[in-house]
Amino acid sequence: MPSTSSSTPIVPALESAQLREDGAPRFHIPAQPSHAAWRDTVEQEQSAGVVAELRLFLDAQLEAGDALVDVAPGFGFVSLSAVTAPTGLPSVFVLDDETGTLPLLQSAARDVGGWLDAFVHADLSHDRLVTLVADRVGIEGRVFVHADATSLAPVLQSLNALIVLGRVVAICLSPSVNASETVHADVCALLQSAGFGIHEMRDADGEPALFATADWNVKTPVIAIAGTATAQPVSAIVMEERTPAVARTPSSASTTSTPLPSDRFSFIAPYCRTGYGVVGAHLLREFTQLDVPVAYFPLGSVDRSIVTNDQLGAALARQGEFDDTAPSVRLSQQFDLALHVGRGPRIGFPIFELDSFNASERHHLERQDRLIVTCEWARTVLLENGIWRTPIDIVPLGVDRTVFNEQVAPASKRGRDTVFMSVGKLESRKGQRELLRAFEAAFSPKDAVQLVLICHNAFVDAVRLDEMLAPFKQSPMASRITLVTKPLPHQKDLAAAMAIADCAVFPARAEGWNLEALEMLAMGKRVIASACTAHTAYLTADNAKLVAIDALEESVPGEHAGRWAAWGDPQHEQLVQHLRDVHGERQHSELAVNLAGVETSKRLSWTASARALMASVSLA
């Protein structure tokens, strides 16, 4: 027999503590005797097993069609445990940390009839990992993650689309030797913000169970479960069906990054009095003020009265020298995203209100290289409609506080009446008829109240508009209702009209953002609004009186695909009570400035919107 040097002892692969039904070890851990922690690891595995809690949990949960993403493989105990799960064969993805461990683990997996898929650090930041995992998850499959404190944040960001869909159901966290208690605390806060409850596995009447914990002891493993927040034990064998968690991890479009002057892209957007036009005009102004050499291609005619932009002409002139390899951003509806400028990445920026898309809309959305939406609700809608292969960034819209602020003088003298105001084109989606019904129920013509509707709708003719206005003109409260059906000349005129109001009311069934609601907050006005769709991005119990929505219903059958908020007796009663509460407070004394609303508006500036969009463009 060949001799072996005493300085290089033969170290056999370590047998797993987990056994097959015949008593044989389920897998072998490849030996790494040169690793400083190997000796201690061998002793632990030969006694109770390394991170036995995590492996026990995964044994009970993993089934065929599931997936495990192991971003902290260590010596491979969790990965090899998963690939030999007793209740089925899941897909197991392991981070290749370039230490040479992964090939050893893949060989060990092959020895027991399994396979480990590899991914690299770059996959975490380039939207590739989510595609790899989603392609392998079964129809009813779930995703589990194994990480430690230092590796968790990037994997959560990478898998954000699956987290939003509720497909990531558990995150197993091993102790991190090199992570401080502060890092662990930050990880706990991140998990909780992403909708995960943190649990420790302990004995409960002889059975292993998970118990909620407020923090993470640096020396023990924890298991984070989506949508759980209870002090009661959670069975480690059967996890009940849960409501999908909504991810709160930051979008890749950071609002703090400053675009470089060399950044170039083409911007295709309206510049007019529609909602899209107001957004396009303000974003273009911010790009030019940031010295971004954007080539601007207007959709339709340009109404220069929307905003003052001395660089508008220069942006238009760049049409003749556009960079055909630069990204092209198209701000338009979800069925109008086909036409872009040049051959560079195609970025679609649709603003939609409903929860599904027809075939044409899906076709346009799915053929973008990147999508931008206004809020988390909109991103969730895309993901729930299966549009997850395209990277999605969030760019919240803004408000111009030089125009809309708490110091604006009202257009007319204010009296003792409580003035409720709703601003937005007259249509069923905006909920003006629901507001009328609540106004009639809450008050009588003798009450000191006024309802002002600024409701110009350029998309209907005069005959149709008269039909839509009839219920307001024929109402028992008609003497207390003012209808403004002509467009106001400038944004400052709109602000002066808004300044008359004591309270803005937006009982919308669905909103893609609602610029006017944010403008009313910027002016320090009280706001009553439905708690649905994009309203949830910036309207809270602190800055508004919310009407809770408890169901969805078909919007306008035969006209629009998708559902919006159902409006029933509970919503009517809430709105009536909110109207009465504001009136009672106003009659008692002058209403104080809505300071929480003002602070919200300061955070949501057009400058922040432009920076967020530029960050998204830089990733394209």
Side-chain angles (χ1 to χ4, degrees), residues 19 102 221 251 302 327 421 439 467 573 585 589:
L19 305 177
L102 181 61
S251 71
V302 173
M421 182 178 291
F439 189 66
E467 294 174 353
E573 292 168 3
E585 188 177 351
S589 63

Side-chain angles (χ1 to χ4, degrees), residues 73 95-103 119-122:
L95 176 67
D96 185 356
D97 56 8
E98 299 182 348
T99 63
T101 300
L102 181 61
F119 67 95
V120 296
H121 282 286

Side-chain angles (χ1 to χ4, degrees), residues 438-450 475-480 580 583:
F439 189 66
E440 292 172 341
F443 309 114
S444 75
K446 295 181 179 181
D447 290 312
V449 294
Q450 295 285 338
S475 168
M477 295 291 292
S479 62
R480 294 287 179 177
R580 287 173 174 167
H583 176 58

